[in-house]
Amino acid sequence: MFLTRRAAVLGLALAALVTPFRAHAAPSEIRLDWATYSPVSVALKENGFLEKALEPQGISVRWVQSLGSNKALEFLNAGSLDFGSSASAAALIARVNGNPIKSIYVYSRAEWTALVTKPDSGIASVADLKGKRVAVTRGTDPHIFLIRALAREKLTDKDVKLVLLQHADGRLALQRGDVDAWMGLDPMMASAELQDGAKLVYRDPSLNSWGALNVRQAFAAENPALVDTVLKAYDQARTWSLEHPKELNALLAKAAKLPEDVVARQLERTTIKYTPIGDGDVKAVAAAGEALAQAGVIPTETDVTKVTGDLIDRAFDAKLTN
């Protein structure tokens, strides 16, 4: 009996030593978003590339639609998504606010937002927005675009009347005349142009940030090989999209429930050719952060350079080029 007890105690001691070094169990499911502002995500979902890659490991895929950067980032913060698509500048705001995410991949570089009005609005410039009602989705690239554009005219968001709506509702509010202007987002913005006769009265591609695929930091730390698998599947979907432009147009039109000519207008403004996260991308996010701090959208004492470094992880993306 003494030997049995001694063996049991020894076994427990060994187990205590071994347990901290036990490999983390792979998840049974990976949760990703898809969004009409990210054409590659639609191609990935519809072609099942990731499902096929994960099938040998017995890991399933759950898809969740994001209606804007704000929703994708909320889902990530709540732990209901592992990967989410947003504008890179919106991801920076989220990181400043404590959302533990990493931006690891560029899914597109697009001019996806502009100031949109009706032809008879009397608004011809950003300066004309003073005192006007502007529909915008808080925490998204259109919101950030507006803040930066107003700053150029020495205005702030206090000089306009913000009407906080999701992107599609913003378009409807402009149609009905409930607002004077709308910070658009494709493909709804392209639809407003072609179907409603709306005008893009102020455009500046430099104020649009790049599309960032974000991952929960804890997920990336625990499952680096799965992050690699997801990015390889994303790049497979990107290659397919470049080789099948008509099919991509049709898939996106179906997903967005919009005519193909509207989606074609969106794709004209969207670059999905692969380029890894570069120094210029990091500088662009930092520049957006500095502007947002000056405008009071994020705390003025924010160390933007540090937060940008904490947010962007180029290690995963770099593997695709090797």
Side-chain angles (χ1 to χ4, degrees):
M1 183 178 293
F2 174 77
L3 289 174
T4 302
R5 287 179 179 172
R6 186 174 180 182
V9 171
L10 183 60
L12 289 172
L14 288 172
L17 288 172
V18 171
T19 298
F21 300 100
R22 188 176 297 161
H24 176 77
S28 60
E29 177 183 77
I30 292 181
R31 300 158 302 172
L32 296 90
D33 76 339
W34 66 275
T36 57
Y37 54 83
S38 171
V40 175
S41 73
V42 176
L44 179 60
K45 175 178 177 288
E46 295 301 322
N47 283 291
F49 296 134
L50 184 57
E51 285 83 350
K52 293 170 187 172
L54 293 173
E55 187 177 4
Q57 300 177 59
I59 299 174
S60 61
V61 178
R62 185 196 302 178
W63 291 99
V64 177
Q65 184 178 11
S66 290
L67 298 176
S69 292
N70 61 329
K71 291 302 178 184
L73 294 164
E74 286 172 14
F75 294 154
L76 285 165
N77 198 33
S80 54
L81 275 180
D82 301 310
F83 296 84
S85 314
S86 78
S88 53
L92 179 70
I93 294 176
R95 182 81 195 199
V96 168
N97 291 329
N99 194 336
I101 56 172
K102 291 284 189 180
S103 295
I104 58 172
Y105 181 77
V106 181
Y107 62 77
S108 76
R109 302 176 190 278
E111 185 194 358
W112 50 22
T113 185
L115 176 63
V116 186
T117 66
K118 288 185 172 182
D120 58 354
S121 68
I123 297 172
S125 69
V126 173
D128 294 333
L129 291 179
K130 190 170 183 178
K132 303 294 187 181
R133 299 161 299 171
V134 184
V136 66
T137 308
R138 185 184 291 280
T140 64
D141 220 40
H143 181 209
I144 297 164
F145 183 107
L146 174 63
I147 295 297
R148 298 180 72 184
L150 287 169
R152 287 180 171 178
E153 301 295 330
K154 299 188 179 347
L155 299 172
T156 73
D157 57 355
K158 304 297 188 298
D159 293 304
V160 300
K161 299 174 183 177
L162 297 184
V163 180
L164 303 180
L165 297 168
Q166 282 299 129
H167 301 295
D169 295 328
R171 176 198 172 187
L172 291 175
L174 182 65
Q175 279 181 320
R176 293 192 299 259
D178 296 338
V179 296
D180 303 296
W182 165 51
M183 292 309 304
L185 182 75
D186 272 336
M188 286 80 74
M189 184 168 73
S191 181
E193 277 186 280
L194 297 180
Q195 297 181 324
D196 308 342
K199 300 298 180 183
L200 276 54
V201 299
Y202 185 78
R203 299 171 64 175
D204 186 343
S206 72
L207 296 184
N208 291 254
S209 65
W210 44 276
L213 181 66
N214 307 294
V215 63
R216 288 190 299 109
Q217 186 170 327
F219 183 94
E222 295 168 355
N223 306 283
L226 289 179
V227 176
D228 291 338
T229 299
V230 169
L231 292 197
K232 287 178 182 176
Y234 248 94
D235 227 48
Q236 185 179 3
R238 185 202 299 266
T239 298
W240 180 91
S241 298
L242 291 170
E243 294 175 349
H244 301 85
K246 291 183 179 179
E247 291 87 343
L248 175 65
N249 195 312
L251 285 181
L252 192 53
K254 180 180 178 181
K257 298 181 175 61
L258 290 171
E260 291 194 16
D261 63 332
V262 169
V263 172
R265 177 66 60 88
Q266 172 190 0
L267 292 175
E268 287 174 10
R269 296 193 277 250
T270 304
T271 300
I272 60 173
K273 184 178 179 181
Y274 176 70
T275 51
I277 300 172
D279 293 342
D281 300 314
V282 177
K283 290 178 182 177
V285 173
E290 295 291 353
L292 293 169
Q294 291 173 12
V297 177
I298 60 177
T300 54
E301 66 274 14
T302 301
D303 186 340
V304 172
T305 299
K306 181 181 183 305
V307 177
T308 301
D310 292 340
L311 170 69
I312 298 175
D313 186 344
R314 298 160 73 174
F316 291 104
D317 184 55
K319 296 176 188 177
L320 293 173
T321 63
N322 299 325

